[in-house]
Amino acid sequence: LTQRGVSSAMLRQEVIDHVLAVDYLYLARKENEILGFSSLQVEETQTYFSGVVTDPSYQKCGVAIALTQTRIVDTLKMGFTKFWTRTQNPIIDHTLCKLLEEMQKKEAITSFNISRELLPCLYKRMLTNEIPLSKDEQINKIYGNLNYPQGDAYRLTITLS
């Protein structure tokens, strides 16, 4: 799954190193088939969403959203109201915003705030084969500020209430 579920621009070992040194590893399964996985690290005052991978044949089927929602719910159950992740993909940012808006509508959370901090040269290169675009032009504009070839990314810090 790690080789099929991520961009060919990412090395298999990078994916393994990124998601296995974690406190919680979540699996999405259908019978005996693994559709995707995600991970979470517990820090002193917040949690870190360190990765999510979905099998390409199940992408855009809600697997990553379900895994992320589970991590948000678990973050809240642990008594934290803040989590963070890092990405150079505006689709992740957009999807996270949409998920949090849905959770707000369902009254699972009252409100949320997302802050973005530029992390120059974090990855040292672009992690995808093409510059990704989300369905949200405003978010795409923000990510247009990244220097993808040098590996810029954003740290997203989400505060929930």
Side-chain angles (χ1 to χ4, degrees):
L1 179 62
T2 58
Q3 290 177 318
R4 293 184 323 221
V6 297
S7 164
S8 59
M10 283 190 76
L11 303 174
R12 182 176 188 271
Q13 192 60 44
E14 286 178 304
V15 175
I16 290 169
D17 292 344
H18 189 64
V19 298
L20 288 187
V22 298
D23 296 309
Y24 294 89
L25 182 64
Y26 301 86
L27 296 177
R29 298 180 336 159
K30 181 178 179 183
E31 298 175 13
N32 291 330
E33 185 178 10
I34 296 175
L35 311 180
F37 61 89
S38 65
S39 54
L40 179 140
Q41 289 177 242
V42 178
E43 298 179 342
E44 193 172 313
T45 61
Q46 61 195 350
T47 59
Y48 168 52
F49 291 16
S50 53
V52 63
V53 176
T54 304
D55 186 297
S57 55
Y58 291 97
Q59 289 177 352
K60 299 185 181 182
C61 295
V63 174
I65 291 169
L67 288 165
T68 301
Q69 184 170 1
T70 300
R71 292 184 292 174
I72 293 169
V73 168
D74 283 357
T75 293
L76 292 168
K77 284 181 182 176
M78 289 179 218
F80 297 111
T81 57
K82 188 184 285 188
F83 66 92
W84 70 280
T85 192
R86 57 190 187 184
T87 187
Q88 57 178 207
N89 189 335
I91 298 169
I92 292 171
D93 195 320
H94 172 73
T95 302
L96 187 56
C97 288
K98 288 298 187 191
L99 173 58
L100 291 167
E101 288 168 5
E102 281 300 312
M103 292 180 75
Q104 197 172 6
K105 285 179 192 172
K106 294 178 181 175
E107 300 181 357
I109 60 173
T110 305
S111 65
F112 66 93
N113 179 60
I114 298 179
S115 65
R116 294 171 186 87
E117 175 190 356
L118 178 63
L119 302 172
C121 303
L122 176 71
Y123 297 118
K124 310 281 190 263
R125 63 188 168 78
M126 192 162 116
L127 297 181
T128 54
N129 295 323
E130 305 175 348
I131 293 176
L133 294 173
S134 76
K135 296 178 183 177
D136 185 318
E137 288 305 315
Q138 189 174 13
I139 290 177
N140 289 338
K141 187 175 179 181
I142 294 167
Y143 280 76
N145 294 321
L146 294 181
N147 182 330
Y148 282 93
Q150 85 177 17
D152 288 1
Y154 281 110
R155 174 186 167 125
L156 306 178
T157 301
I158 297 86
T159 305
L160 308 168
S161 59

